[in-house]
Amino acid sequence: ISLTSGKWYFEADLTGRTGSSSLRAGFGDTVGGVGYANYIISKSITANATVMIAVDLDNLLGWVGSNGSWDAGDPSAGSGGTSITLSTGAAVPFVRDNSGSSGNGGV
């Protein structure tokens, strides 16, 4: 899914893992193989957490939070948010192993 405009939201739930590295969820502007090239906005996922990711691609803002609370601002109200850049003109949602290799077994 490659997104170029609009407001988008997704959640990622981590219920367990077999390795020690954290996992990460967010939007990137390129994706390939097991990784991604550029974060637009992302958050590390810890065990037993629900990570929330929201982007407003029309106003180039992003929000992250976990377990029902935003880290800063409120995407519903359009307040706060972090400025984002789309170097490729599109955003792609992702969830990945943060160690840069495979084998951490996120569930």
Side-chain angles (χ1 to χ4, degrees), residues 10-32:
F10 81 94
E11 293 181 348
D13 293 317
L14 178 65
T15 58
R17 65 172 176 239
T18 58
S20 60
S21 179
S22 66
L23 302 174
R24 187 164 286 279
F27 283 91
D29 62 5
T30 56
V31 174

Side-chain angles (χ1 to χ4, degrees), residues 42-69:
S42 68
K43 183 168 179 74
S44 182
I45 308 172
T46 58
N48 301 314
T50 299
V51 169
M52 310 173 322
I53 309 290
V55 292
D56 178 344
L57 298 177
D58 298 327
N59 294 301
L60 297 177
L61 292 171
W63 295 263
V64 296
S66 59
N67 299 326
S69 297

Side-chain angles (χ1 to χ4, degrees), residues 7 63 73-80:
K7 296 178 182 180
W63 295 263
D74 179 1
S76 296
S79 65

Side-chain angles (χ1 to χ4, degrees), residues 1 35 77 85 92 98 103:
I1 300 172
T85 301
V92 180
N98 202 35

